[in-house]
Amino acid sequence: MLRTSPLRQAAALFQAAYGTPPVAAASAPGRVNLIGEHTDYTGGPVLPLALERRTAIVCGPGDGWTFLSASDDRPDRRYVDERMAGRWSDYLVGVVRELAERGAAPSGAQVAVSTSVPIGAGLSSSAALTVAAARALSAFAGRRLSPAVLADVAYRAEYHHVGVRCGRMDQTIAAHARAGTALLFDTATGDLRLVPFPGRLWIVETGVSHKLTGGELNARRRECEAALARCRERWPGLASLAALPAADLSAAERLLPLPLARRVRHVVTETARTRSAAQALAAGELEALGRLLVAGHRSLRDDYESSCPEADRIVETAVAQGALGARLTGAGWGGAVLVLAPKERESRIVAEVVRDFEATFGRVPAAWATRAASGVRREALGH
Ligand code: GLA
């Protein structure tokens, strides 16, 4: 039997809770970052693609703001000028505030949300939510915002209102993705380039949930800012950590105390790997791409120290079983691993990874495949 789509589920939830059908809807994808980890807030490139799994949001007229998700027992009534509450609906309050700044928010709405993006798995469920919300609510207010504006609204909601010191990768891919392509996003220039990604990727979830708000991501970001300040004493014109020439990396490592030296080594080497990975993908050189993914994982593990034993085990098993490459994706400290495998052997490799994980950690990890999917879209409601 086909699983109900998030859109149908959100519409059914809306009808059941509010007793009337919704009038506007949109959906946006989660993402998997092929490579370019922790380089979006350090001035480097990233290479994400959109998942086939999406978040749908539907809305209709309301007096004030009421938000409901499939996992709540009752609608959450919020005031957009109140303090953040530490709940998922904070993300939507942030979106409403940002839309209002642009004159693109309705005066109130009833909202329902449903998703097939795993939450807290490093697959960007938050950007799927905020980008879909920006599209649905602005459409309900009679406005059509460009993908760039939707991404900005969603980024500002998360960064300024919820307080996650994220970069712009997740919102950018959720807003700009095209099916069958990865997106090379140069965060220093804002340049976007589509790179064909015709195949499939496997996602293996570690089942270790990361908690971003106020967590390790914010701490790493502070370390990177401290490292940049020290580097600028030596290289006053340095625009960002990612802009440090590879030839100056050893000098920077001597200049910086630990662990800052290792953080900088990750950012500089990851920047080079990401550019090479985009070239390899464009040239169809999947073996070269795979090697870069594995090197990227080891850099996260050893230099950025953002991996976890479960992710390390999945990567090493996948590679030992003949995967082209594998890597922890997303912020880290848990989350999911992507596996790039030769088509004819992918099912066997992933089955072996799952078997080994169960033998090691005593539970079966979720594992599923995705193609590169499309970005945010307005959805039709068939009543
Ligand atoms: C999180 C952030 C992104 C990015 C990644 C790490 O997903 O939201 O902006 O910084 O971590 O690459």
Side-chain angles (χ1 to χ4, degrees), residues 226-265:
L228 179 61
R230 289 289 294 271
C231 285
R232 276 182 176 152
E233 290 167 13
R234 171 79 176 272
W235 297 283
L238 188 67
S240 67
L241 284 185
L244 188 78
D248 289 333
L249 181 56
S250 321
E253 285 181 44
R254 283 194 298 275
L255 183 76
L256 294 165
L258 287 172
L260 301 192
R262 287 206 297 267
R263 308 297 185 243
V264 174
R265 186 159 67 208

Side-chain angles (χ1 to χ4, degrees), residues 122-382:
L123 299 169
S124 203
S125 55
S126 57
L129 174 66
T130 50
V131 172
R135 181 78 178 91
L137 294 172
S138 57
F140 184 45
R143 294 284 302 277
R144 190 188 170 114
L145 304 179
S146 68
V149 173
L150 293 173
D152 191 49
V153 164
Y155 166 75
R156 295 181 61 85
E158 182 153 356
Y159 188 97
H160 293 288
H161 300 282
V162 181
V164 180
R165 300 289 172 248
C166 57
R168 289 180 180 265
M169 165 169 69
D170 305 346
Q171 301 80 11
T172 301
I173 183 69
H176 291 271
R178 295 280 175 80
T181 64
L183 183 70
L184 180 63
F185 169 28
D186 198 323
T187 64
T189 59
D191 191 48
L192 301 177
R193 191 154 67 79
L194 296 172
V195 185
F197 187 90
R200 301 206 297 181
L201 274 181
W202 281 83
I203 307 292
V204 184
E205 297 178 36
T206 63
V208 180
S209 181
H210 68 178
K211 183 94 186 82
L212 281 193
T213 8
E216 286 92 344
L217 182 63
N218 292 2
R220 280 295 177 281
R221 191 162 180 150
R222 281 194 297 276
E223 289 175 347
C224 287
E225 282 159 2
L228 179 61
R230 289 289 294 271
C231 285
R232 276 182 176 152
E233 290 167 13
R234 171 79 176 272
W235 297 283
L238 188 67
S240 67
L241 284 185
L244 188 78
D248 289 333
L249 181 56
S250 321
E253 285 181 44
R254 283 194 298 275
L255 183 76
L256 294 165
L258 287 172
L260 301 192
R262 287 206 297 267
R263 308 297 185 243
V264 174
R265 186 159 67 208
H266 169 75
V267 170
V268 172
T269 58
E270 183 80 347
T271 294
R273 278 188 295 270
T274 305
R275 296 199 198 290
S276 305
Q279 280 168 7
L281 180 59
E285 291 164 1
L286 295 187
E287 293 191 354
L289 173 63
R291 284 193 294 274
L292 291 161
L293 300 183
V294 175
H297 180 79
R298 294 185 179 147
S299 179
L300 289 175
R301 183 191 64 191
D302 301 336
D303 286 342
Y304 218 67
E305 296 178 280
S306 56
S307 187
C308 62
E310 291 82 354
D312 296 341
R313 182 86 192 187
I314 295 168
V315 170
E316 299 307 331
T317 312
V319 171
Q321 291 298 321
L324 297 167
R327 197 181 74 77
L328 176 64
T329 189
W333 300 283
V337 170
L338 67 87
V339 177
L340 179 71
K343 201 169 163 203
E344 53 304 342
R345 275 184 288 157
E346 58 180 27
S347 309
R348 196 189 53 70
I349 291 169
V350 172
E352 198 46 46
V353 166
V354 167
R355 196 203 55 72
D356 173 81
F357 190 102
E358 186 183 9
T360 311
F361 300 107
R363 57 193 168 80
V364 178
W368 41 276
T370 187
R371 291 184 179 281
S374 54
V376 66
R377 60 173 178 253
R378 177 101 193 253
E379 299 278 7
L381 286 162

Side-chain angles (χ1 to χ4, degrees), residues 5-22:
S5 75
L7 177 63
R8 279 163 180 266
Q9 227 174 40
L13 198 62
F14 189 101
Q15 175 76 49
Y18 306 123
T20 150

